[in-house]
Amino acid sequence: MLTVNNIDVFYGDLQVLWDVSFEVKDGEILVLIGANGAGKSTTIKTISSLLTPAKGTIEFNGKRLDHHPPHEIIQQGIVHVPEGRRLFPEMSVEENLIMGSLYGEAKEKRKKTLEYVYELFPRLKERRDQMAGTMSGGEQQMAAIGRGLMSLPKIMMFDEPSLGLAPILVEDIFRMINTINSEGVTVLLVEQNVTQTLAMCNRAYVLENGRITMEGTGEELMNNEKVREAFLGI
């Protein structure tokens, strides 16, 4: 479905990714794990065309995407739920959700999709007129996910969705990601909560210092001695 082929990515003169390759299969939950600074967020941003690879290609259903602008990536059905939520704090919850449905089919189906998002996140419906910046971290994360769903994604890419949330809210967010996947949306998840993500994913890749060093099913990596020592403290 989504194929990343041998990409190198730089910030100015600083190289962050080296020859990174992986694929995301239709319908699965794929996880990228790694320490801070490993290049996980950079990978997501490159797929979203917020960064351009110096080498390599990115393809979606056989179509090359790596030189298309971000809004065209969204129109293809690849949606990025960014680290830190990145809502418009002085706009209402509903206005933030609507920002996810500005193009094509997503705009045409806005009313129906909004009803679906409110059904999935009843708390957002209760707070639909509230300024997004005044909500709790967990509520803001729900709004960020809801905004992504408004774009009618084929793939949703989540960048550290549990960051800064209380443990009980983390459980809610991961449960929602599982629900979204079960309803037909492929998931690419970047997350430092390794135990939980490996337990829920189909497959995973390990990024270390900008390079893919390992891959396997969630169970295989959970039982890998190197992964257990590096990420699980076992």
Side-chain angles (χ1 to χ4, degrees):
M1 190 177 195
L2 177 71
T3 307
V4 176
N5 298 299
N6 308 110
I7 61 171
D8 289 352
V9 179
F10 290 75
Y11 288 107
D13 294 329
L14 178 65
Q15 187 167 0
V16 181
L17 298 181
W18 281 263
D19 203 36
V20 168
S21 296
F22 64 91
E23 64 176 357
V24 185
K25 298 176 182 179
D26 189 10
E28 74 174 344
I29 298 177
L30 180 79
V31 174
L32 296 180
I33 63 172
N36 274 335
K40 305 185 303 296
S41 293
T42 298
T43 302
I44 296 282
K45 290 176 182 177
T46 305
I47 296 170
S48 296
S49 268
L50 299 175
L51 297 169
T52 302
K55 186 200 83 174
T57 63
I58 298 170
E59 297 179 357
F60 181 61
N61 289 332
K63 179 180 179 180
R64 188 167 171 180
L65 296 180
D66 47 277
H67 285 84
H68 288 254
H71 71 274
E72 291 184 6
I73 304 300
I74 295 171
Q75 287 176 292
Q76 291 294 318
I78 302 174
V79 172
H80 182 175
V81 181
E83 180 181 347
R85 277 79 80 173
R86 301 294 179 90
L87 299 176
F88 298 95
E90 296 183 1
M91 293 170 60
S92 71
V93 170
E94 188 156 301
E95 288 168 338
N96 270 275
L97 294 175
I98 287 171
M99 291 297 290
S101 59
L102 299 180
Y103 298 103
E105 185 182 6
K107 186 175 182 179
E108 293 171 9
K109 295 183 176 179
R110 178 183 292 164
K111 183 177 180 181
K112 183 178 180 180
T113 311
L114 191 60
E115 291 173 359
Y116 166 69
V117 170
Y118 284 148
E119 183 179 331
L120 192 62
F121 298 110
R123 203 174 311 177
L124 295 183
K125 186 172 184 178
E126 294 170 8
R127 288 159 168 68
R128 64 198 301 171
D129 297 320
Q130 183 174 334
M131 295 299 100
T134 66
M135 296 196 301
S136 70
E139 290 166 344
Q140 288 187 28
Q141 187 63 66
M142 292 176 193
I145 294 172
R147 180 179 60 189
L149 289 170
M150 292 294 294
S151 299
L152 300 180
K154 296 181 177 72
I155 292 182
M156 283 191 83
M157 303 188 297
F158 296 87
D159 192 354
E160 303 285 5
S162 74
L163 187 66
L165 300 184
I168 191 169
L169 294 176
V170 171
E171 294 287 342
D172 288 342
I173 294 300
F174 281 121
R175 189 161 44 248
M176 289 302 171
I177 291 172
N178 267 318
T179 298
I180 291 165
N181 175 251
S182 70
E183 294 182 359
V185 178
T186 302
V187 170
L188 172 56
L189 176 60
V190 163
E191 178 57 64
Q192 287 193 64
N193 190 329
V194 173
T195 302
Q196 200 145 1
T197 51
L198 289 181
M200 71 186 282
C201 75
N202 300 102
R203 296 185 304 118
Y205 291 83
V206 178
L207 261 175
E208 293 183 274
N209 299 317
R211 295 173 172 87
I212 298 285
T213 60
M214 205 178 307
E215 64 178 282
T217 66
E219 183 178 0
E220 287 169 346
L221 292 184
M222 183 76 81
N223 293 322
N224 181 279
E225 185 176 340
K226 183 178 177 182
V227 171
R228 289 165 68 84
E229 183 178 339
F231 299 110
L232 305 179
I234 300 173

